[in-house]
């Protein structure tokens, strides 16, 4: 257990790029707001396009995760005080990560290749371009989910548990506030990611997130509970377990 705990106490930014991602065709279609069973019966062309997008897109995906782990030093006025002297300020984070021992800050990306191809293909074949876009979205979500599972496994080895992932743009943590804070704590340029003036990430197929880890940590609720689109989202049932 001591060795597992030491993993969380390593300082500085860390990167990992040896992720293996399995992207089901159903996930690609889901990103296009389509049900695979219905598509198979009514529009096999969309299924074929999704399969082609998966085959072609897989050659362009370069999954990478950058992460830093900081010990939580205290909580004051909706601010998580980190041991290194920095902080994260958010009602959402303070409510759900106050019992954490460690705070994991991460940026996950699949690189620019898929979105660049999708942009080119939209002009030639919009249906295929949309399928590639769906593949890219499915791939980066799979990467983020895989990263969270990786951290959770490390937490369990150390006798701890991890929270649900929390990202800028959720209720109680605006995009501009959250992205500004996260990009001050880590250096995503190490994996080729930058923040635009409008606080969007480039490449677009990138997800930033925060996890809490500790022996008192509870994965309370689901990511959907704190999403601004929860009332009109096509995917709420899919994410009920996340």
């Amino acid at each position: 257990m001591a060795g597992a705990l030491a993993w969380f106490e390593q300082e500085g930014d860390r990167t990992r790029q040896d992720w293996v991602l399995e992207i089901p065709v159903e996930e690609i279609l889901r990103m296009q707001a389509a049900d695979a069973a219905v598509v198979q019966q009514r529009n096999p062309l969309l299924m074929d396009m999704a399969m082609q997008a998966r085959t072609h897109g897989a050659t362009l995906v370069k999954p990478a995760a950058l992460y830093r782990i900081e010990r939580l030093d205290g909580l004051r006025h909706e601010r998580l005080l980190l041991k290194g002297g920095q902080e994260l300020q958010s009602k959402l984070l303070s409510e759900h990560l106050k019992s954490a021992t460690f705070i994991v800050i991460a940026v996950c990306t699949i690189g620019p290749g898929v979105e660049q191809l999708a942009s080119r293909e939209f002009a030639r074949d919009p249906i295929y371009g949309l399928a590639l876009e769906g593949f890219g979205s499915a791939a980066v979500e799979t990467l983020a989910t895989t990263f969270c599972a990786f951290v959770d496994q490390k937490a369990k080895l150390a006798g701890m548990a991890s929270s649900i992932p929390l990202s800028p743009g959720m209720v109680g943590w605006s995009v501009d506030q959250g992205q500004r804070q996260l990009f001050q704590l880590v250096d995503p340029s190490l994996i080729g990611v930058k923040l635009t003036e409008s606080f969007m990430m480039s490449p677009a197929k990138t997800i930033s997130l925060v996890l809490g880890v500790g022996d008192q940590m509870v994965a309370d609720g689901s990511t959907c509970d704190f999403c601004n689109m929860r009332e009109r989202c096509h995917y709420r049932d899919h994410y009920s377990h996340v």
Side-chain angles (χ1 to χ4, degrees), residues 41-225:
Q41 289 184 345
R42 300 181 181 178
N43 197 339
L45 175 62
L46 290 182
M47 180 68 75
D48 291 341
M49 288 293 184
M51 294 177 68
Q52 290 180 39
R54 181 176 63 175
T55 300
H56 197 174
T59 66
L60 302 172
V61 167
K62 297 185 181 301
L66 167 79
Y67 59 100
R68 172 187 286 264
I69 302 174
E70 297 283 355
R71 183 178 284 271
L72 181 60
D73 205 28
L75 174 66
R76 185 181 303 138
H77 305 304
E78 298 187 350
R79 290 182 296 153
L80 297 178
L81 307 179
L82 307 180
K83 190 173 182 180
Q86 295 174 296
E87 64 181 45
L88 285 167
Q89 183 175 3
S90 155
K91 180 180 180 181
L92 177 70
L93 299 186
S94 64
E95 287 180 350
H96 292 275
L97 305 185
K98 59 187 176 184
S99 61
T101 302
F102 299 99
I103 302 297
V104 182
I105 304 105
V107 177
C108 302
T109 186
I110 61 166
V114 176
E115 66 188 77
Q116 289 173 350
L117 177 62
S119 180
R120 293 194 300 269
E121 288 294 332
F122 267 121
R124 185 184 67 85
D125 186 344
I127 296 178
Y128 186 50
L130 186 62
L132 285 165
E133 182 72 17
F135 170 80
S137 297
V140 72
E141 283 206 2
T142 299
L143 173 59
T145 301
T146 302
F147 173 80
C148 292
F150 165 69
V151 173
D152 190 58
Q153 182 182 43
K154 294 287 187 181
K156 289 176 179 176
L157 289 174
M160 300 185 291
S162 63
S163 70
I164 62 172
L166 302 172
S167 294
M170 290 182 173
V171 176
W173 198 22
S174 65
V175 170
D176 55 345
Q177 179 191 37
Q179 298 291 49
R180 186 187 295 112
Q181 291 178 35
L182 295 188
F183 275 66
Q184 288 175 346
L185 289 170
V186 295
D187 181 12
S189 66
L190 295 172
I191 55 172
V193 174
K194 64 181 180 180
L195 194 64
T196 69
E197 292 183 357
S198 58
F199 301 104
M200 297 295 103
M201 292 178 291
S202 178
K205 300 307 181 188
T206 302
I207 292 175
S208 59
L209 60 91
V210 171
L211 294 166
V213 174
D215 57 8
Q216 301 298 315
M217 196 71 250
V218 177
D220 188 22
S222 76
T223 304
C224 290
D225 295 334

